[in-house]
Amino acid sequence: MRYIEPHAHMVSRVTDDYERLVLAGCRAVCEPAFWAGFDRSSPQGFYDYYLQLTEYEPRRAAKYHLPHFCWLCINPKEAEDVGFAREVMALIPEFLPKDNVLGIGEIGLNKNTRSELRILEEHIDLAAQHDQLILVHTPHLEDKLKGTRLILSALQSDSRIKPERVIIDHVEEHTVREVLDAGFWAGITLYPVSKCTPARAADILEMHGRERLWVNSACDWGPSDPLAVPKLAMELRARGFSEAELDDFLFKNPCRFLSQCDKFNVTE
Ligand SMILES: [Zn+2]
C-alpha cells in the first residue's frame, strides 16, 4: 500500500516516526505551520521555525528518502495580537519560493474571535497575492460549524480565491457537506482521543464518497498517532474497499490536490 500523509507536525515527532511512516508505505509528508504548544515571544522565533520547516525537517526526512513539504502562516491561536501577527506574516514572502513550500496554512479560526477573523482574511489576501494553495484549520474547542461557516464566507468573499485550490481540514459529520458543496476540498483528521476515529471516518466516506476528500493523522506533540492513516486503511478493507479504491483515496486524492502546486512532484 502507498499513501500520502498530508498533515503531520514532524518537528514535534522523533526521527523513528519517519522510519515508521516509510515502512507503512508513506510516499510524502506535508507539514503545516502550527502552534508550538507555547507562545513564541518574538517574530524571530517564527523566523527560526520557518527555517526549521524549510531546511532542517526536509533534510531529516530525506535520510529516510521521504519527501517533506510544508505550509507557512501564523496559527490562529497566536493571532489575537493583530500587530504581532502582522509582523510575523511580513516574514512569510521570503520563504514562499523555497523548494518544499506548498502554500499558506494552516490558517483558520480557533475561538472564532474578531482578531482571528481579521488575520484569517489577511492570510487569504497573502495567498491570493502570491498565487498560493491554502490549507485551513477549523476549530474543535469552540463551535466548529459556526467557525466553518465564517471561514467559508471569508474565502468566498475574496473573488481571487478558487475553491478547488483550498482544503478545509478537520471536517466532521456536521461540516463536511457544506465544505464539499461549496466546491472546496475537505480533510478528515484521525485522532485517538478527539476528532475522528477510523470508524467515523469510514462512515463519512460511505455517506459522502471520496471525491475532493483526504485523510490525515495531524500528529503533533499531543496524543496523536503518526500511523493513523494506514490504520484507517485496515478499517476500510474490513468494509470491503478494494486496493484500487484505497490507492485512489489515500494516494491519488492528495496528489490531485497538492499537484496544483508545481513543487509537489510525487507521482508514483
Ligand atoms: Zn495541524
Side-chain angles (χ1 to χ4, degrees):
M1 178 191 130
R2 59 180 183 171
Y3 75 99
I4 305 291
E5 172 53 82
H7 189 145
H9 298 292
M10 299 307 291
V11 298
S12 51
R13 307 298 310 189
V14 296
T15 299
D16 291 347
D17 287 334
Y18 279 116
E19 185 178 38
R20 291 189 189 103
L21 288 171
V22 171
L23 288 172
C26 185
R27 297 294 175 85
V29 63
C30 309
E31 174 151 8
F34 85 141
W35 185 57
F38 57 91
D39 288 343
R40 297 157 178 101
S41 59
S42 69
Q44 190 62 39
F46 282 87
Y47 189 89
D48 292 343
Y49 177 48
Y50 298 154
L51 282 176
Q52 187 180 18
L53 290 177
T54 56
E55 294 185 9
Y56 181 69
E57 279 309 316
R59 283 206 294 272
R60 203 157 71 110
K63 289 188 185 134
Y64 298 91
H65 303 284
L66 183 65
H68 175 283
F69 298 93
C70 72
W71 301 76
L72 301 177
C73 73
I74 176 167
N75 190 271
K77 229 181 161 85
E78 287 164 297
E80 214 37 63
D81 181 343
V82 170
F84 181 82
R86 285 181 180 144
E87 278 184 64
V88 173
M89 288 173 67
L91 301 171
I92 293 174
E94 171 186 341
F95 288 91
L96 292 178
K98 296 256 190 186
D99 287 344
N100 74 331
V101 176
L102 297 172
I104 300 296
E106 54 186 301
I107 57 173
L109 298 173
N110 179 49
K111 291 184 173 167
N112 301 336
T113 68
R114 197 177 284 262
S115 298
E116 288 175 11
L117 194 57
R118 178 172 300 176
I119 291 303
L120 169 65
E121 288 163 351
E122 293 183 18
H123 273 111
I124 294 170
D125 177 61
L126 180 67
Q129 279 181 40
H130 295 270
D131 195 26
Q132 298 289 308
L133 298 177
I134 295 177
L135 189 154
V136 186
H137 162 102
T138 51
H140 351 274
L141 300 177
E142 299 296 316
D143 188 332
K144 183 184 281 289
L145 182 59
K146 181 180 164 202
T148 301
R149 286 177 173 162
L150 287 169
I151 288 164
L152 291 181
S153 93
L155 288 161
Q156 287 165 329
S157 60
D158 190 321
S159 61
R160 299 166 296 175
I161 299 299
K162 299 188 182 84
E164 69 273 18
R165 289 174 55 82
V166 180
I167 180 136
I168 312 283
D169 217 332
H170 318 317
V171 298
E172 290 181 358
E173 292 84 346
H174 60 308
T175 58
V176 61
R177 199 64 259 162
E178 286 187 35
V179 168
L180 293 175
D181 285 350
F184 296 95
W185 279 72
I188 301 173
T189 296
L190 303 159
Y191 252 30
V193 289
S194 60
K195 306 196 179 91
C196 275
T197 59
R200 280 175 61 198
D203 288 348
I204 291 173
L205 269 182
E206 286 177 349
M207 289 185 66
H208 299 280
R210 58 177 188 273
E211 196 185 338
R212 277 185 289 115
L213 210 55
W214 81 21
V215 68
N216 57 65
S217 74
C219 59
D220 58 14
W221 35 258
S224 52
D225 180 1
L227 295 182
V229 173
K231 287 176 187 170
L232 172 66
M234 291 202 290
E235 172 75 21
L236 293 175
R237 278 190 196 102
R239 295 191 186 207
F241 280 68
S242 68
E243 290 306 309
E245 286 171 325
L246 288 180
D247 190 65
D248 188 66
F249 177 50
L250 301 176
F251 181 77
K252 290 182 183 156
N253 260 13
C255 288
R256 284 181 188 111
F257 178 79
L258 296 167
S259 298
Q260 295 181 91
C261 172
D262 292 343
K263 295 179 210 166
F264 189 83
N265 51 6
V266 179
T267 48
E268 58 185 81

